[in-house]
Amino acid sequence: MPRWSSLSVTAQGWCIAVAEFLLGLLLLSAGLYELAPVRVEAPAAVRVGLLAAVCGAAVLRARRPVAALVLGAVPLGIDLLLGPSLPVWLVYSDLLYAGVRYGTERQARALLGLASALSAACFGVVYVVTGNWQLLVLTAIALSAFVGTPLWWGRAVRLHKDVADAERARAEAVTTIAELDRRAAVAAERNRMARDLHDVVAGHLSAIAIQSEAALGLSRDASSPTARRMEALHAVLESVRSNSVDALEEMREMIGLLRDRPVLGETTAPGRLAHLGKLVDSAHAGGTVVHVRRSGPGRQLPVAVDHAAYRIVQEALTNAAKHAPGVPVELSLDARGDRLEVTVRNPLPDGTVAAPRTPSGGRGLASMRERTELLGGRFRAGPSDGTWVVGASLPLRPGAPS
């Protein structure tokens, strides 16, 4: 047999109407139907017809609750004139429950107001006509049982359903927000990985390409003595080897972070300004002279600032070697007050300088800007008085104004 919840609203209405009709027939056949003294002796067929009419209206109890109440009011009124019968009033009390339960919020409130007004009017009529307080108490009991109880129960079920729907919507909203947060976290992690791949691995590989170019130039230079040429070539190849090893170690660490478990062995510490000499030596091997100037008191920098400054310097030197090969570069590090000022400056290449032959992905400036802004700093890059200037101002205290 199909489950009740799997039935359509119309099918459920028919099932309830049939069940109510059968129960009403049982009460009529047993003679248990009089709620008050019978005013008019009606044939049994009339009583059955009134029961069938109000049960027919019950078919619409969930789909059209207001229409069911209006249609059911006709046999209810006739039954009231003949003498109220229990089966008809039981079915109509179910229609009252359905009106509050399935109707709109406005319809439910209107029904509650109308029922309260009619109940008060009924009390008044009974008191004026009879003046009997005992009959007034019986009327109150009857109205409470057939009107008040179904309305209260329907309202309570409706409120519980509204709360359940609100909780379900809230749970769905929380799930949606959690999914959006997860996607944002994944996107942020992918951006971070792309930035690190560009800054770390691409920087090493660009240095290798530039130094290989310098090595090829030395091998073709027949004007310099062989011993001096071999010495310079040896220094370039040593730098190429150092950059290759560094790139492999950085790649190994990044792959280890992507695995479910860490790779065996010790991890490599991220680049810090204390390792600046490696960048300067690598640039020298590629034919770029770097003049370093430090100022400000020697102080321990925050790890995030130290690492970001190192990566910015690395990318700036790589870009200088790519786009202005052979020109000197000035690197300035100034840690004063609550900020670290990083400035990399090199003359713009003129027509006498050969264009770089190493490819560029075009992500260097964006990566340096992202690193700076993630720490709440300011970044600038562009030409100034015949030089190309890259500058980053990094706060040394969290929350320092930019």
Side-chain angles (χ1 to χ4, degrees):
M1 294 182 62
R3 299 180 60 181
W4 177 258
S5 59
S6 64
L7 296 176
S8 65
V9 174
T10 302
Q12 292 178 2
W14 275 102
C15 292
I16 292 175
V18 171
E20 291 174 342
F21 181 72
L22 294 177
L23 176 62
L25 284 180
L26 180 62
L27 294 174
L28 288 174
S29 61
L32 303 174
Y33 64 92
E34 293 183 359
L35 292 177
V38 177
R39 298 188 181 90
V40 178
E41 288 294 337
V46 174
R47 293 288 185 181
V48 173
L50 293 176
L51 175 63
V54 74
C55 288
V59 175
L60 304 174
R61 61 189 296 277
R63 188 157 51 94
R64 300 288 296 277
V66 175
L69 282 169
V70 173
L71 293 176
V74 177
L76 178 71
I78 298 174
D79 180 77
L80 186 60
L81 293 175
L82 297 177
S85 60
L86 179 60
V88 172
W89 280 82
L90 283 176
V91 176
Y92 199 80
S93 66
D94 177 63
L95 295 182
L96 291 173
Y97 161 82
V100 177
R101 168 67 178 82
Y102 297 108
T104 64
E105 181 66 23
R106 184 176 180 180
Q107 291 172 347
R109 291 180 179 179
L111 181 58
L112 290 172
L114 180 62
S116 300
L118 291 178
S119 299
C122 184
F123 276 118
V125 170
V126 170
Y127 180 76
V128 170
V129 172
T130 65
N132 188 338
W133 67 270
Q134 294 177 333
L135 187 58
L136 194 63
V137 171
L138 292 177
T139 302
I141 294 175
L143 288 176
S144 298
F146 293 105
V147 178
T149 299
L151 291 177
W152 166 79
W153 184 248
R155 187 65 177 173
V157 173
R158 183 189 183 93
L159 290 177
H160 281 294
K161 181 180 179 299
D162 291 343
V163 171
D165 291 341
E167 289 297 324
R168 188 180 301 109
R170 179 177 175 275
E172 292 175 355
V174 170
T175 302
T176 302
I177 292 173
E179 177 63 18
L180 292 176
D181 289 342
R182 185 192 68 82
R183 292 181 182 179
V186 170
E189 184 64 16
R190 286 178 176 174
N191 290 334
R192 187 191 67 81
M193 291 172 56
R195 184 174 60 247
D196 287 345
L197 278 173
H198 179 275
D199 291 354
V200 178
V201 180
H204 286 304
L205 294 180
S206 295
I208 291 171
I210 294 170
Q211 292 160 2
S212 300
E213 236 181 90
L216 290 175
L218 288 172
S219 65
R220 292 192 296 264
D221 186 8
S223 60
S224 61
T226 303
R228 185 182 301 173
R229 198 185 336 150
M230 293 303 296
E231 182 180 351
L233 186 60
H234 179 76
V236 171
L237 292 178
E238 282 289 342
S239 182
V240 168
R241 179 183 179 279
S242 176
N243 276 293
S244 302
V245 171
D246 290 344
L248 288 174
E249 288 181 353
E250 296 277 5
M251 181 64 74
R252 175 176 173 272
E253 294 307 319
M254 295 192 70
I255 292 174
L257 291 175
L258 295 176
R259 290 181 176 175
D260 293 335
R261 59 182 184 277
V263 294
L264 298 177
E266 296 183 357
T267 58
T268 304
R272 308 282 284 272
L273 290 179
H275 309 143
L276 195 60
K278 295 178 62 177
L279 297 181
V280 175
D281 293 341
S282 176
H284 283 172
T288 300
V289 178
V290 181
H291 303 285
V292 181
R293 183 181 65 85
R294 291 176 179 265
S295 60
R299 55 192 295 186
Q300 186 71 23
L301 299 177
V303 175
V305 174
D306 201 354
H307 178 59
Y310 179 86
R311 293 304 183 201
I312 290 171
V313 171
Q314 182 184 33
E315 180 62 30
L317 293 180
T318 300
N319 286 346
K322 282 183 186 179
H323 304 297
V327 301
V329 177
E330 295 181 2
L331 169 60
S332 172
L333 299 172
D334 186 5
R336 293 184 184 275
D338 60 355
R339 310 192 74 78
L340 171 65
E341 302 291 340
V342 180
T343 306
V344 181
R345 184 189 305 269
N346 62 271
L348 289 171
D350 52 26
T352 63
V353 180
R357 282 180 271 176
T358 55
S360 174
R363 283 286 307 166
L365 294 179
S367 177
M368 289 187 285
R369 185 180 301 278
E370 288 174 3
R371 286 188 182 277
T372 304
E373 292 178 351
L374 282 175
L375 295 176
R378 299 188 300 268
F379 177 80
R380 66 188 187 280
S384 176
D385 297 330
T387 61
W388 182 267
V389 180
V390 172
S393 178
L394 304 174
L396 298 181
R397 295 199 312 266
S402 60

